[in-house]
Amino acid sequence: MMSRRPINPSRRVTDNGASSLEGSIRSKTRSPPYLTIGLIIVGAFLLIGYFYRDTGTFASIKGAISRVEGDFLCTVEVQKAISVLKKAYGDSMHKVLHVGPDTCSVVAKLLEEEDTEAWGIEPYDIEDAGHFCKKLVHKGIVRVADIKFPLPYRAKSFSLVIISDALDYLSPKYLNRTLPELARVSSDGLVIFTGYPRHHKVKFAEKSRFGGLAKLRSSTWWVRYFVQTSLEENEVAIKKFEQAASKKSYVPSCQIFHLKSYR
């Protein structure tokens, strides 16, 4: 009869030790529940941001970032100044045309105002525009058009025309065509938002998109140019705008010019 092989006590100790070590490693590598919950919450926010990336909240964040980077500084300024413009122009804000890059955001803001109809002209491409902007284009509320050529509107089609970040990229040759054309389609005036020379900060990507550097001019240059093109500054609107701005503690980051329409 074969004798039973004795159990090696050292092996039992080793096996028990290995089991204890394995259990210890598992307990240490197991993620605490609050970490898992935190990851789920972060994932939820990322999903919400993806699905609502074209909404007003994210558009506002984008606008704030653009302002810091130097993109469309005066277009963002127009949105801030709408309530002041309403006080200054009153009923003349009932039919507004905005001309400038990112016009969809301005038009959307204007359409939130009571008794205000709004249209827009985007002078550049809208390949990177969101769904809401493309919807405005599809409806004909926003048009993509080269402002160096005649606008597709009849004379005095709009009560007020607001321009931002568009004239700064035009040479005097094209400015001589564009500004009178903008005055032609307005009945109660033009409001021009243009950058200060000291804010001359244009990135390489902007150069290629707009076809050149921004030509930021001084207020003296603009006033002299208005006289040469027979455009009068609207002193009444200027005074009302300054009073409304003072009451609202509004300090613009751009030059703002108020002009009369051609009679």
Side-chain angles (χ1 to χ4, degrees):
M1 180 181 292
M2 295 180 64
S3 62
R4 181 176 295 178
R5 188 175 182 180
I7 297 173
N8 188 347
S10 63
R11 183 179 176 183
R12 181 178 295 173
V13 172
T14 304
D15 289 344
N16 290 340
S19 299
S20 300
L21 179 61
E22 184 180 354
S24 175
I25 292 172
R26 285 180 180 175
S27 64
K28 287 181 180 179
T29 57
R30 187 178 298 160
S31 299
Y34 61 81
L35 179 59
T36 304
I37 295 170
L39 289 173
I40 292 172
I41 293 172
V42 171
F45 275 112
L46 289 174
L47 285 173
I48 293 170
Y50 176 79
F51 286 112
Y52 291 93
R53 61 191 181 279
D54 291 330
T55 60
T57 302
F58 284 87
S60 299
I61 295 172
K62 180 182 176 183
I65 294 172
S66 294
R67 181 175 179 182
V68 172
E69 293 179 344
D71 299 343
F72 312 157
L73 173 66
C74 294
T75 294
V76 175
E77 196 66 37
V78 172
Q79 297 177 60
K80 290 174 58 180
I82 286 175
S83 61
V84 182
L85 288 168
K86 287 276 285 184
K87 287 288 185 181
Y89 283 91
D91 293 340
S92 294
M93 285 283 289
H94 74 277
K95 199 171 185 181
V96 181
L97 173 69
H98 173 260
V99 180
D102 199 22
T103 190
C104 291
S105 62
V106 177
V107 170
K109 190 75 174 176
L110 286 166
L111 290 174
E112 293 175 1
E113 298 292 322
E114 189 177 355
D115 300 326
T116 298
E117 298 177 46
W119 288 263
I121 290 183
E122 171 61 64
Y124 311 107
D125 65 78
I126 58 166
E127 291 179 2
D128 299 330
H131 174 72
F132 177 73
C133 185
K134 289 179 179 178
K135 190 174 180 181
L136 291 177
V137 173
H138 181 72
K139 289 182 176 181
I141 296 173
V142 169
R143 294 191 183 196
V144 180
D146 191 337
I147 60 173
K148 295 193 295 291
F149 299 96
L151 300 176
Y153 302 111
R154 295 179 180 178
K156 303 186 184 302
S157 292
F158 307 96
S159 53
L160 194 68
V161 174
I162 302 172
I163 311 107
S164 63
D165 294 317
L167 303 181
D168 295 331
Y169 291 89
L170 297 179
S171 65
K173 173 186 175 182
Y174 290 114
L175 199 57
N176 289 339
R177 300 179 188 176
T178 301
L179 199 51
E181 183 68 4
L182 293 169
R184 180 186 70 82
V185 300
S186 67
S187 61
D188 296 340
L190 296 86
V191 184
I192 299 173
F193 287 72
T194 183
Y196 286 103
R198 67 175 179 270
H199 289 164
H200 198 166
K201 178 184 177 183
V202 182
K203 299 179 297 183
F204 177 79
E206 291 179 307
K207 294 181 194 178
S208 61
R209 182 181 180 188
F210 300 148
L213 289 169
K215 302 167 181 64
L216 302 180
R217 292 115 172 173
S218 66
S219 59
T220 304
W221 189 95
W222 279 111
V223 170
R224 186 168 62 247
Y225 179 78
F226 297 147
V227 172
Q228 292 173 356
T229 52
S230 302
L231 283 166
E232 287 183 65
E233 289 195 81
N234 190 335
E235 299 295 340
V236 174
I238 291 172
K239 186 175 181 180
K240 287 183 178 180
F241 184 88
E242 289 176 348
Q243 290 173 345
S246 178
K247 288 180 180 179
K248 292 180 176 289
S249 300
Y250 168 69
V251 180
S253 299
C254 296
Q255 299 182 89
I256 304 176
F257 299 99
H258 305 264
L259 306 177
K260 294 180 180 179
S261 302
Y262 284 137
R263 295 174 183 174

